[in-house]
Amino acid sequence: AGGSISNPSSGIEIGAGGIITTYGSNLTLLGSVYESAVSNDLYGISNRGTISAGLLGNVSVTGIARYNGGGEPHGIFMDAGTSLITSSGGDVQVIGYSNNLTSVTGGLNGRGILVQSGAVVTSGGNGNVTVIGYGGNTNSGNNEGVRVFQSSVVSANGSGNVNVTGYAGYTG
């Protein structure tokens, strides 16, 4: 799970069954959230629905979670089983930052991108998939750049390439 706190804050939240899409043009989402001295989880983008571009449109999704408290900041949070980021033929780029302003004692996990079980990042046609995550700097917990849980999918169809890069944050 994203964490034990039940009231997360998000720059952009796509609820279960929600869809953000284009039909042939590019789609760009940028979600950013900052909170100070709170214990809520923070998501630059929280996706429980579908983000997609039709035809040859490209998809670019960037989430930034900055905090100075004790919750879990994830640049991009993809919920278990319901979250999809895709294109019909264009490229898909997903970038997440967990940017802690200080090394916070008691912070749980600061992941750039968290892809929970059953969530999918993929491209259709010959589109490429690029996933880049920057972990946070909590004093305890997991600060992976990219965390892909079991039964999740990061893939490209056709002749598309997949590139996943994760930069772990500080745990000290």
Side-chain angles (χ1 to χ4, degrees), residues 81-154:
T82 63
S83 182
L84 172 65
I85 298 175
T86 189
S87 72
S88 293
D91 294 339
V92 174
Q93 175 179 276
V94 180
I95 302 174
Y97 301 89
S98 175
N99 183 3
N100 306 350
L101 301 178
T102 60
S103 185
V104 178
T105 301
L108 301 174
N109 302 302
R111 297 180 174 113
I113 299 172
L114 177 59
V115 183
Q116 289 198 316
S117 298
V120 176
V121 178
T122 190
S123 65
N126 295 317
N128 298 309
V129 173
T130 302
V131 176
I132 304 171
Y134 299 87
N137 55 316
T138 60
N139 280 336
S140 60
N142 301 305
N143 296 296
E144 299 103 340
V146 178
R147 172 84 187 257
V148 179
F149 277 83
Q150 62 197 24
S151 74
S152 297
V153 177
V154 176

Side-chain angles (χ1 to χ4, degrees), residues 5-23:
I5 310 302
S6 61
N7 295 311
S9 298
S10 302
I12 296 174
E13 174 145 0
I14 303 159
I19 299 171
I20 296 179
T21 190
T22 65
Y23 297 98

Side-chain angles (χ1 to χ4, degrees), residues 12-34:
I12 296 174
E13 174 145 0
I14 303 159
I19 299 171
I20 296 179
T21 190
T22 65
Y23 297 98
S25 58
N26 296 333
L27 174 64
T28 301
L29 295 180
L30 171 60
S32 180
V33 62
Y34 168 76

Side-chain angles (χ1 to χ4, degrees), residues 60-87:
S60 176
V61 179
T62 303
I64 304 166
R66 299 174 296 152
Y67 85 115
N68 208 9
E72 292 192 3
H74 303 305
I76 296 177
F77 172 78
M78 297 183 65
D79 200 18
T82 63
S83 182
L84 172 65
I85 298 175
T86 189
S87 72

